[in-house]
């Protein structure tokens, strides 16, 4: 198979399991907890690195912002051998009790985005693979970490999440909002692959606190620390999924 046009990878370049943060800088943060790190490719928003964690080989690939970019990453990585995708990112809370720095493992993602709807009807569920979901939750419990487990929403319009949207999502019991999971879950399901997501809260839309930052260095201190802990939980989960 030819080299993929956006990620610039081909068969043999990647491992079976991929961690897919949005931020290319977070690829390096994940890699710091690993061994035998090797950069495979870097193009546009996509940085691809191979590494090992406790002897388990894995790939780390950034997806950029939003479902269209994430879909390209999932499509191209799946074509060259990735079978399990785990999103590791940040997320904005939609419930009063979810605090900045808390971690969320998603049980599903509402499709308030357009990409997955180009693949299938919006009534089809965007849900993670059960084994990936339980591996993330079990990893949190094994490490003595508290995580929220429940549904989230993926949205396209970062600067147009107005009060009416937030109120509706809050009343629906959705825990938080981000921009990639619905498409990652949907594509993986359609391809017979596995996917999951664990995200760290960087703001609370119900309380009116800031969501989002240009880099991990701009995150609130608790969120910054817990991004690191979420990475550790994810890597530990990988050892049970290999």
């Amino acid at each position: 198979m030819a080299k993929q046009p956006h990620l610039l990878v081909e068969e043999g370049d990647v491992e079976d399991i991929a961690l897919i943060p949005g931020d290319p800088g977070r690829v390096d943060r994940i890699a710091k907890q690993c061994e035998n790190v090797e950069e495979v490719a870097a193009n546009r928003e996509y940085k691809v690195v191979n590494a090992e964690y406790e002897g388990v080989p894995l790939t780390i690939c950034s997806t950029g912002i939003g479902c269209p970019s994430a879909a390209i990453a999932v499509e191209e990585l799946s074509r060259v051998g990735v079978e399990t995708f785990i999103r590791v990112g940040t997320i904005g809370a939609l419930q009063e009790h979810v605090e900045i720095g808390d971690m969320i493992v998603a049980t599903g993602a509402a499709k308030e985005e357009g990409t997955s709807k180009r693949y299938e009807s919006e009534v089809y569920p965007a849900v993670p693979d059960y084994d990936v979901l339980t591996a993330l939750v079990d990893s949190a419990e094994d490490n003595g970490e508290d995580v929220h487990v429940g549904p989230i929403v993926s949205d396209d319009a970062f600067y147009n999440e107005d009060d009416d949207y937030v109120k509706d999502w809050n009343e629906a019991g959705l825990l938080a909002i981000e921009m990639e999971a619905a498409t990652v879950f949907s594509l993986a399901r359609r391809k017979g692959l596995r996917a999951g997501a664990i995200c760290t809260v960087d703001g609370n839309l119900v309380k009116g606190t800031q969501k989002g930052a240009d880099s991990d260095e701009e995150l609130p201190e608790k969120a910054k620390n817990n991004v690191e802990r979420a990475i550790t939980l994810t890597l530990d989960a990988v050892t049970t999924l290999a």
Side-chain angles (χ1 to χ4, degrees):
M1 180 177 289
K3 184 172 289 189
Q4 298 302 303
H6 301 92
L7 273 61
L8 305 182
V9 295
E10 56 190 353
E11 285 187 281
D13 284 346
V14 299
E15 305 296 344
D16 294 345
I17 298 175
L19 274 58
I20 50 170
D23 181 5
R26 198 163 291 148
V27 172
D28 297 328
R29 289 190 68 175
I30 297 170
K32 284 180 180 178
Q33 296 196 32
C34 300
E35 299 177 340
N36 300 323
V37 176
E38 177 186 6
E39 183 171 317
V40 177
N43 184 49
R44 299 192 180 194
E45 61 264 55
Y46 306 107
K47 182 173 184 177
V48 185
V49 165
N50 284 340
E52 289 185 7
Y53 181 78
E54 296 187 358
V56 176
L58 63 131
T59 293
I60 312 162
C61 176
S62 55
T63 65
I65 298 174
C67 285
S69 294
I72 288 173
V74 172
E75 287 276 15
E76 296 192 3
L77 288 172
S78 66
R79 290 173 188 170
V80 296
V82 174
E83 298 177 349
T84 300
F85 297 87
I86 307 178
R87 168 160 159 69
V88 188
T90 50
I91 197 165
L94 293 169
Q95 302 296 324
E96 287 275 354
H97 69 279
V98 181
E99 302 288 345
I100 291 176
D102 287 0
M103 290 177 279
I104 294 174
V105 175
T107 58
K111 296 176 177 177
E112 291 278 14
E113 40 74 43
T115 305
S116 68
K117 298 170 191 176
R118 292 294 301 273
Y119 287 86
E120 64 184 21
S121 168
E122 64 184 291
V123 304
Y124 296 169
V127 293
D129 174 80
Y130 179 78
D131 289 340
V132 179
L133 168 64
T134 54
L136 291 168
V137 175
D138 289 348
S139 176
E141 292 177 353
D142 291 345
N143 284 275
E145 298 280 5
D146 292 324
V147 294
H148 301 279
V149 181
I152 63 172
V153 55
S154 298
D155 186 41
D156 280 340
F158 184 91
Y159 288 108
N160 198 34
E161 294 156 355
D162 62 26
D163 291 344
D164 289 338
Y165 278 109
V166 172
K167 181 176 183 291
D168 189 47
W169 293 328
N170 169 268
E171 291 176 351
L174 303 179
L175 293 179
I177 182 169
E178 51 79 84
M179 301 183 71
E180 292 84 22
T183 287
V184 172
F185 293 169
S186 296
L187 263 63
R189 172 176 44 75
R190 293 186 70 85
K191 293 174 178 292
L193 306 174
R194 304 189 298 183
I198 181 170
C199 296
T200 304
V201 176
D202 62 356
N204 189 307
L205 278 70
V206 176
K207 294 181 178 180
T209 53
Q210 179 65 33
K211 175 173 74 77
D214 290 335
S215 70
D216 283 349
E217 295 308 312
E218 296 181 16
L219 291 171
E221 195 63 30
K222 184 181 178 185
K224 190 188 306 183
N225 292 339
N226 280 9
V227 165
E228 205 74 32
R229 290 158 73 186
I231 291 169
T232 301
L233 297 184
T234 307
L235 290 167
D236 284 348
V238 163
T239 64
T240 69
L241 292 167

